[in-house]
Amino acid sequence: MPKHITEADLALLAFAREVRPRAYAPYSGFRVGAAVFAGGEIFQGVNAENAAYGSTVCAERAAALAAITAGHRDFDAVAVIGDSESPCVPCGACRQFLAEFNPAMRVIMSGRTDEIDVRRLDELLPDAFVRGYLDQDDGEDE
Ligand code: THU
């Protein structure tokens, strides 16, 4: 196990791996499982595709919404596992969605091999657009 990967990372990844078979991915065939660690609890999510392709929901956002619904916004980490050869990274929209809650959260990623990658979210999404930008609005249009 690479030194920077902790037991907690592996435990969270196991929850993502466990839920992945429940993904609904009839169009891409690419099943993704995710698990968010927030408020000392674990919340799982899977991707759910749709005949109107653009209505698809990613696993990371599904897991994040489960945490939010349970009242937790203090995300410490997210684990994601996909069907890919190399560790599956969160898509751009998921990076932005997650950055709202903690740009410094740990992101644990894996694919169909034993390879695991761990990064901070702000490494994957530098200079995220966050709430502070909205506070800089002077309230004037044009
Ligand atoms: N997908 C996720 O669930 N998370 C990601 O980070 C990458 C993409 C899903 C969306 C879609 O159902 C399938 O993977 C292929 O893009």
Side-chain angles (χ1 to χ4, degrees), residues 20-135:
R20 197 178 75 90
R22 298 214 282 272
Y24 176 69
Y27 303 107
S28 72
F30 192 83
R31 290 172 180 229
V32 184
V36 163
F37 186 61
E41 291 183 54
I42 286 160
F43 301 92
Q44 294 168 298
V46 294
N47 56 328
E49 298 185 345
N50 193 274
Y53 295 173
S55 299
T56 290
V57 178
C58 289
E60 298 90 321
R61 272 178 282 171
L65 279 168
I68 294 162
T69 301
H72 297 291
R73 299 170 185 167
D74 48 348
F75 297 6
D76 296 306
V78 61
V80 52
I81 182 164
D83 267 333
S84 44
E85 177 73 19
S86 49
C88 181
V89 293
C91 78
C94 285
R95 294 177 200 200
Q96 177 64 34
F97 191 90
L98 292 167
E100 178 77 14
F101 302 102
N102 178 11
M105 79 178 71
R106 281 173 84 79
V107 184
I108 302 112
M109 298 162 282
S110 192
R112 75 172 96 92
T113 73
D114 290 342
E115 191 181 346
I116 298 170
D117 197 9
V118 179
R119 309 279 285 277
R120 268 170 58 129
L121 181 57
D122 52 15
E123 284 182 74
L124 298 176
L125 185 68
D127 302 322
F129 182 87
V130 289
R131 290 176 63 158
Y133 286 96
L134 299 178
D135 298 335

